[in-house]
Amino acid sequence: MNEQIEVLTLNIPDTDKPRLVIIGGGFGGLATIRNLRKCAFQVVVFDERNYNTFQPLLYQVATAGLQPDAIASPLRKEMWEGADYHFRHLKVLTIDSTTNTLSTIAGKISYDYLIIATGTRANFFGNKQLQQYTLPLKTIPDALNIRSQIMQMLEMATITPPEKQQEFMNIAIVGGGPTGVEMAGALAELRKHVLWRDYPQLDFSKMNIYLLEGGPVLLPAMSAESGAKSLKDLEAMGIIVRLNTLAASCDGQSLTLKDGSTIATRTIVWSAGVKAGIPTGVPDSWIESGRILVDDHCRVPTSPNVFAIGDVALQKSAAFPKGLPGVAQPAMQMGAYLGKNLGKMHENKPVKPFHYFDKGSLATIGRAKAVADFPGNLKFSGRIAWFIWLFIHIAYLVSFRNKLVVFATWCWNFITYEKGNRLIIRPFFRKDDLITSEMTD
Ligand SMILES: Cc1cc2nc3c(=O)[nH]c(=O)nc-3n(C[C@H](O)[C@H](O)[C@H](O)COP(=O)(O)OP(=O)(O)OC[C@H]3O[C@@H](n4cnc5c(N)ncnc54)[C@H](O)[C@@H]3O)c2cc1C
């Protein structure tokens, strides 16, 4: 293997043009690429995945509502044909800002301009047990792990004595932000409309779905009304919501809460926190509050040829003194801003500072149930908010094919109450999970 690594090379041609390297083809990186028309740069994009992920719909993949390829799009498709654009499916290992180079498993590359758009990773706040036994939801493989785990545990329940079935059927979701709320709502619908038909021998009154939130409200980043409405709707759907409740530890069979009580469950979804995915080598002086501090041109103040956008960046303004929210819109808007303006910056032409336009926030709870907060204190809930949510998600999906597939699948699911992707295509095993691995080995 090492011999093979030694012969790897990036194969990026030498150029007289300034080289722009972009790390990350997520919301921010993709918006940059799409706005860099006819640019004077050689553009090199690195991503550890060869596709862009539409993270807002990951929970639907995890709950069998959508197929994974409906929310992913190949990054190579975004490289302008014939232009000096290069994609490498590689993780950037380190950045060396003193030599303006970065390294990958296939070698080093220098940059004239660098855009760091690496997003976030799950944050377990240093709790090793939670990291080992809970399931984060950040990537498509994460979503498939959750889907497989839910289905595998139900299959296990069918071959377990009734008095022991509950730990296989219960599900706990830690974190009552949009991901936790959306996940809980989708699981309640799966239980109500689908699972009892698949598993007639199981008693679904025993299947408890818990949503645990450390703070006093759900959807803390949204209005108090939206938080209260989501709580009311989820409780009406049979979700056990526990506010002011923190997870303390787990052992693969149960979850222990800070108050000492336990929940018997083998499936714990972790949606309680993320941290910026800052590549190794980024100097400490660039970092503030765990993110890369940038000025109003998305630039690292002490290294004007380096930019950070999206979730990894901390851009403070009078309206957002703690930085922009970690959602898709800031990432897309910052990416579009750099894509349009980097050429001018290179030519030392005047460029207006970046201005974030807040378009509001949304969360769906279930069938015809959602909450929406818009600027100007405009709030919607129920069917109207749900239609807005549907429309916006279709509109922002990355390709026409994905829009069509998602729309058709949603129509089918709505009419039939189906969630047809409840497949264990790639079984999920924890290292210590002998029971489930023995089932399929
Ligand atoms: C489950 C979930 C649900 C969400 N729901 C919503 C929602 O409803 N609405 C909303 O607005 N926002 C939502 N968000 C947040 C939104 O997805 C993020 O704010 C957005 O993705 C940030 O964009 P980004 O470009 O900064 O990072 P990302 O989109 O995460 O992209 C980062 C990219 O960098 C790549 N990468 C990272 N490190 C490296 C490295 N070292 N080398 C190479 N490549 C690397 C990754 O593979 C990834 O492709 C959700 C997020 C999650 C996880």
Side-chain angles (χ1 to χ4, degrees), residues 29 39 66 94 99 109 121 229 234 258 288 309 343 353 418 437:
C39 69
L66 282 175
T94 56
T99 56
I109 187 167
R121 296 177 186 276
K229 175 74 178 145
L234 285 177
K258 276 265 155 69
E288 188 179 310
I309 57 173
E418 255 292 340
S437 59

Side-chain angles (χ1 to χ4, degrees), residues 245-292:
T245 300
L246 292 169
S249 62
C250 48
D251 58 10
Q253 292 173 23
S254 67
L255 171 65
T256 304
L257 307 176
K258 276 265 155 69
D259 65 8
S261 60
T262 57
I263 294 171
T265 179
R266 289 173 178 254
T267 307
I268 305 165
V269 178
W270 183 256
S271 61
V274 288
K275 59 180 172 192
I278 299 175
T280 310
V282 164
D284 287 346
S285 59
W286 291 7
I287 301 170
E288 188 179 310
S289 306
R291 294 198 269 170
I292 300 175

Side-chain angles (χ1 to χ4, degrees), residues 62-83:
T63 54
L66 282 175
Q67 51 276 53
D69 59 319
I71 64 160
S73 181
L75 282 169
R76 282 190 178 273
K77 210 173 109 189
E78 303 293 335
M79 303 294 121
W80 296 93
E81 236 171 82

Side-chain angles (χ1 to χ4, degrees), residues 24 26-28 47-49 55-56 92 117-119 121 137 310-311 326-328 331:
F27 278 100
D47 199 303
E48 54 192 325
R49 293 174 202 107
Q55 294 174 19
V92 170
T118 43
R121 296 177 186 276
L137 183 59
D311 284 0
V327 290

